């Protein structure tokens, strides 16, 4: 485990941090010394996570915003910078899943999943850049999915996979543009991680997925949080534009 003080005093923002993977990332960064902005569109869950951090002696702020809306993202960044003075680490994790077959996806559903899973990452990276370029430092981690490599997942469909593939390309492009300013930009492609997002999975599908994985177990939110911790730490200062599979040996590409 990394030293507790490795990120002492760093200011971090985690989107979709009210539950699941985002919650675990936020708690892990707080335990590692960060002051953490907890974004979620769900006020109650965001508040619970922020309270958990504060109760453990950390610092946190609740940011209830829909990250698919440009004006909301602007306000969110203004709020965290006003509270903590700057922004060092951003984890773009908020996401939704869509399970409809390709021929049944409506235009409205398509627009929504692209807005929440992809446009939000564009908006957040662009706003983060406006602060980080000036500081000449920063770490951004975007949460994609193995579905972004496979063109859909076991649960998520073509629209979900397309949104997550966009996150991969976006990550590489932003890494190239922000690198000269001392900003590292990477993505993680989680495989099957036990959260609410996958709880509707049948036992049969579960067995199929586990069968194709080297480690033969579902991931835990902590597995993703540990990878984020590494990527935002000084240990990963020379890593940028990397798409890291954290999937128990599923993709191996
Ligand atoms: N669970 C998995 O197996 C898995 C696999 C690959 C990738 N992922 C990705 O990891 C991320 C987290 O997934 P999870 O399993 O923890 O999901 P989850 O559904 O448990 O949590 C997602 C959180 O994002 C929030 N959110 C949704 N839309 C938002 C918006 N517009 N603005 C702000 N907050 C919003 C939700 O309120 C929720 O708290 C997602 O991007 C997901 O696509 C998950």
């Amino acid at each position: 485990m990394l030293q507790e003080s490795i990120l002492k005093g760093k200011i971090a923002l985690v989107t979709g941090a009210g539950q699941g993977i985002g919650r675990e990332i936020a708690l892990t960064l707080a335990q590692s010394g960060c002051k953490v902005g907890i974004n979620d569109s769900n006020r109650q869950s965001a508040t619970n996570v922020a309270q958990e951090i504060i109760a453990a002696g950390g610092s946190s702020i609740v940011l209830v915003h829909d990250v698919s809306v440009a004006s909301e993202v602007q306000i969110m960044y203004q709020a965290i910078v006003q509270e903590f003075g700057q922004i060092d680490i951003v984890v773009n994790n908020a996401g939704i899943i869509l399970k409809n077959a390709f021929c049944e996806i409506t235009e409205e559903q398509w627009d929504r999943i692209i807005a929440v899973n992809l446009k939000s990452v564009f908006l957040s990276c662009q706003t983060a850049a406006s602060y980080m370029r000036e500081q000449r430092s920063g770490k951004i981690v975007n949460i994609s999915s193995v579905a972004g490599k496979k063109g859909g997942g076991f649960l998520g469909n073509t629209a979900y996979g397309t949104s997550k593939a966009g996150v991969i390309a976006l990550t590489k492009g932003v890494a190239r543009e922000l690198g000269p300013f001392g900003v590292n930009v990477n993505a993680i492609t989680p495989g099957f991680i036990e959260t609410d997002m996958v709880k509707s999975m049948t036992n049969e599908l579960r067995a199929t997925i586990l069968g194709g994985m080297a480690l033969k177990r579902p991931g835990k939110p902590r597995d993703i949080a540990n990878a984020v911790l590494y990527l935002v730490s000084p240990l990963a200062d020379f890593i940028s534009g990397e798409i890291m599979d954290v999937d128990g040996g599923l993709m191996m590409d």
Side-chain angles (χ1 to χ4, degrees):
M1 182 46 78
L2 297 166
Q3 287 167 285
E4 233 178 63
S5 61
I6 201 158
L7 298 175
K8 190 129 199 85
K10 296 284 184 194
I11 315 305
L13 166 65
V14 184
T15 71
Q19 65 176 48
I21 293 170
R23 172 180 176 274
E24 198 64 34
I25 293 169
L27 295 177
T28 299
L29 294 180
Q31 283 157 11
S32 307
C34 292
K35 299 174 183 176
V36 189
I38 306 296
N39 159 262
D40 208 284
S41 48
N42 183 318
R43 178 177 298 278
Q44 190 54 58
S45 58
T47 304
N48 291 346
V49 176
Q51 281 174 350
E52 209 173 326
I53 290 171
I54 291 164
S59 301
S60 188
I61 177 177
V62 176
L63 302 160
V64 183
H65 300 283
D66 179 342
V67 287
S68 67
V69 179
S71 57
E72 294 279 307
V73 173
Q74 290 283 346
I75 294 167
M76 174 174 75
Y77 273 83
Q78 283 162 8
I80 190 168
V81 171
Q82 192 173 347
E83 179 77 11
F84 294 131
Q86 64 185 65
I87 181 82
D88 302 302
I89 294 165
V90 173
V91 185
N92 293 308
N93 162 82
I96 51 174
I97 200 160
L98 184 65
K99 299 169 190 166
N100 309 27
F102 173 67
C103 291
E104 289 160 13
I105 304 167
T106 66
E107 182 182 3
E108 196 184 18
Q109 287 171 328
W110 176 270
D111 287 347
R112 185 66 190 150
I113 199 151
I114 297 296
V116 175
N117 290 3
L118 178 56
K119 182 183 167 193
S120 68
V121 184
F122 152 65
L123 293 171
S124 179
C125 286
Q126 199 180 54
T127 313
S130 69
Y131 294 97
M132 291 177 173
R133 275 164 57 117
E134 214 155 286
Q135 289 164 201
R136 300 194 90 77
S137 69
K139 295 264 169 73
I140 299 175
V141 179
N142 299 323
I143 305 300
S144 174
S145 169
V146 292
K149 293 183 166 187
K150 289 164 62 76
F154 298 101
L155 280 181
N157 65 5
T158 308
Y160 179 75
T162 304
S163 70
K164 293 297 187 180
V167 172
I168 292 174
L170 180 69
T171 299
K172 293 178 179 176
V174 180
R176 221 174 271 118
E177 291 207 26
L178 296 190
F181 299 92
V183 180
N184 302 54
V185 188
N186 294 294
I188 290 174
T189 47
F192 169 22
I193 311 297
E194 293 273 28
T195 68
D196 281 3
M197 192 175 265
V198 298
K199 71 179 174 198
S200 65
M201 196 181 276
T202 62
N203 286 340
E204 201 185 354
L205 180 54
R206 206 183 156 88
T208 305
I209 300 172
L210 294 177
M213 290 166 55
L215 296 182
K216 309 289 180 206
R217 70 159 176 89
K220 298 186 282 290
R222 186 72 197 210
D223 294 314
I224 305 303
N226 285 340
V228 169
L229 180 58
Y230 169 65
L231 286 175
V232 303
S233 80
L235 297 177
D237 277 352
F238 200 52
I239 299 178
S240 199
E242 174 65 15
I243 310 302
M244 184 191 278
D245 292 342
V246 183
D247 64 358
L250 177 68
M251 290 299 293
M252 293 201 198
D253 58 344

